[in-house]
Amino acid sequence: MDSHCPGQHRHLHDGRSDGLVPLQPIDLNKTNTFAELLHAMSNTAFAGRQLGQAFEVLEEMAKNEKCAVVMTLSGAMTVAKQGQIFCELIDRGIVQAVVATGALIAHGLTESIGLTHYRYDPTKSDETLFEQGYNRIYDTLEMESNLNNVEAVVRKVLNDSQPEDGMWSSARLCRALGEELERLDEGPGILRSAFQKNVPVFIPAFTDSEIGLDVSTWAMKNAFEKNGQDPSKMTSDEVFREMAPFNPFLDLQEYARFIQSSEEIGIFTIGGGVPRNWSQQVGPYVDITNNRVGTNLEAPRFKYGVRICPEPVHWGGLSGCTYSEGVSWGKFVPPQEGGRFAEVYCDATAVLPLLSKALFERIGKSE
């Protein structure tokens, strides 16, 4: 009789005979590269195993020539100086589409035109920061003058470029901005790399960003000048009626066409929010199109998924929901049918550089 279970007889199993995977201690003397370290971490536990397994899935996804990879980005990742990592993921041909927040793209633009961000001095109050033109993002500062310089670039592109049908979308504007950054040649940037590699960049919540406000104020100013109106004598009800020539459904349809043209699809998500949900809803979008419109399209499902986000699942939000939950929505290939997914519950600034460095060591795609 086992002393720990009075009155019960147990047959104690050996893990190996039951097909369990044994864990292995990390021997740092045998790990000479980032890739080797992450592989060793995949045989440990907790967050280390999560990161190691994420590397294995990301590597397989990147090496699969049939797979188009969508990278979704949220949070202040460009302010946090992760932007050049995203550029290299595009430059190396690992990523075929980007879906991001407008704020992340706007803050990245400041680097692309030769500007910078600064470390926050906690001895200064937020009231003082406002008066001095510093916008605080946790422990980092974005200067208001930076955003004014970004607006000048956006305004120039809007004045100099015109879509054939006269209507802008986020992807169309990002493409035009990338072309302008290439001409300026003042620094690397997500939009510049995307333009060079013909990678579409979508900003689904476009008006929730500095760039969105730039487009709106550009449209209002143009309209008032054209109509000979004096804005200083207009009421707010009159001012905020003018609309920019912008149609978000152009983005939705372009993204759907991109996904439908891909043999297999994978998603690499930093954070969550609107970029993650907007990217993942393409499967259900095709499903309901078939049901409501009468089409006969094959609904896409993501075969791969790697997510780095500290959001816990129990809050019930999309940012923290698991890939297995997404299977129930028709967004992902079930694991038993070949789907491979990994989730790392961590601040991306702590693990993305390590994960990306290991990936760049292993893959053979061109820079």
Side-chain angles (χ1 to χ4, degrees):
M1 183 179 297
D2 188 277
S3 60
H4 296 286
C5 299
Q8 296 183 22
H9 294 277
R10 297 190 299 165
H11 175 62
L12 303 182
H13 286 218
D14 173 75
R16 291 181 187 275
S17 62
D18 283 342
L20 300 182
V21 178
L23 300 183
Q24 301 289 338
I26 292 180
D27 185 349
L28 294 179
N29 293 309
K30 295 181 179 179
T31 56
N32 300 309
T33 66
F34 287 92
E36 290 174 353
L37 177 60
L38 286 186
H39 178 70
M41 290 169 67
S42 71
N43 292 312
T44 60
F46 314 138
R49 187 196 300 172
Q50 290 177 2
L51 186 60
Q53 291 175 338
F55 170 60
E56 292 175 353
V57 176
L58 189 60
E59 182 182 17
E60 181 177 323
M61 178 167 59
K63 287 183 175 180
N64 185 344
E65 296 294 337
K66 298 185 297 183
C67 182
V69 178
V70 178
M71 180 170 64
T72 80
L73 306 172
S74 64
M77 290 294 101
T78 43
V79 169
K81 301 297 136 186
Q82 309 298 300
Q84 289 196 38
I85 296 176
F86 302 136
C87 291
E88 191 164 357
L89 286 164
I90 298 169
D91 295 341
R92 288 177 174 266
I94 297 169
V95 167
Q96 284 72 50
V98 176
V99 183
T101 64
L104 186 146
I105 296 298
H107 295 308
L109 277 170
T110 65
E111 288 184 320
S112 299
I113 58 177
L115 306 175
T116 190
H117 303 102
Y118 293 93
R119 184 178 299 188
Y120 163 56
D121 178 359
T123 65
K124 288 189 175 183
S125 70
D126 288 301
E127 292 82 0
T128 299
L129 294 177
F130 173 75
E131 294 297 331
Q132 294 179 344
Y134 292 110
N135 301 301
R136 183 164 70 89
I137 305 168
Y138 182 45
D139 62 355
T140 306
L141 300 175
E142 172 74 272
M143 296 191 299
E144 186 67 21
S145 61
N146 284 357
L147 299 178
N148 288 337
N149 285 319
V150 166
E151 185 274 335
V153 174
V154 173
R155 177 164 26 95
K156 182 179 186 304
V157 167
L158 291 170
N159 286 333
D160 294 350
S161 306
Q162 181 76 6
E164 288 186 8
D165 57 5
M167 189 64 62
W168 288 100
S169 67
S170 71
R172 289 177 173 183
L173 181 57
C174 286
R175 208 170 285 123
L177 286 168
E179 185 174 9
E180 176 66 10
L181 295 177
E182 177 74 359
R183 186 190 69 80
L184 292 173
D185 192 22
E186 292 179 339
I190 295 171
L191 296 187
R192 184 179 183 183
S193 290
F195 171 74
Q196 292 171 340
K197 292 294 184 179
N198 197 29
V199 168
V201 178
F202 302 95
I203 305 174
F206 184 75
T207 57
D208 183 26
S209 71
E210 183 75 21
I211 301 177
L213 304 186
D214 293 343
V215 173
S216 186
T217 53
W218 167 81
M220 287 190 291
K221 184 176 182 180
N222 281 358
F224 300 151
E225 290 178 351
K226 180 179 179 181
N227 298 329
Q229 295 169 290
D230 182 355
S232 67
K233 298 179 180 179
M234 298 172 69
T235 67
S236 60
D237 186 63
E238 293 170 327
V239 168
F240 295 117
R241 285 188 178 275
E242 191 61 43
M243 301 296 172
F246 186 93
N247 186 349
F249 287 97
L250 292 170
D251 286 323
L252 180 66
Q253 302 298 64
E254 181 180 341
Y255 179 68
R257 293 194 303 271
F258 165 78
I259 292 295
Q260 288 295 93
S261 68
S262 305
E263 189 172 348
E264 294 180 352
I265 52 174
I267 189 166
F268 182 28
T269 288
I270 308 299
V274 172
R276 181 188 182 192
N277 188 61
W278 191 85
S279 302
Q280 293 178 180
Q281 73 177 359
V282 65
Y285 181 39
V286 175
D287 280 332
I288 65 174
T289 298
N290 286 337
N291 181 262
R292 299 172 186 176
V293 181
T295 52
N296 188 30
L297 304 172
E298 183 176 352
R301 306 285 188 258
F302 285 98
K303 181 178 180 179
Y304 301 98
V306 173
R307 178 171 67 96
I308 303 174
C309 181
E311 181 76 6
V313 66
H314 61 262
W315 297 131
L318 192 281
S319 293
C321 85
T322 61
Y323 286 125
S324 61
E325 180 181 312
V327 171
S328 76
W329 288 82
K331 298 177 179 179
F332 299 97
V333 176
Q336 61 269 28
E337 296 178 17
R340 290 203 66 191
F341 312 105
E343 294 164 295
V344 183
Y345 294 91
C346 189
D347 174 3
T349 62
V351 296
L352 177 66
L354 174 60
L355 183 63
S356 301
K357 183 67 174 178
L359 182 64
F360 298 154
E361 287 176 347
R362 284 286 182 89
I363 63 170
K365 296 193 177 184
S366 61
E367 298 188 27

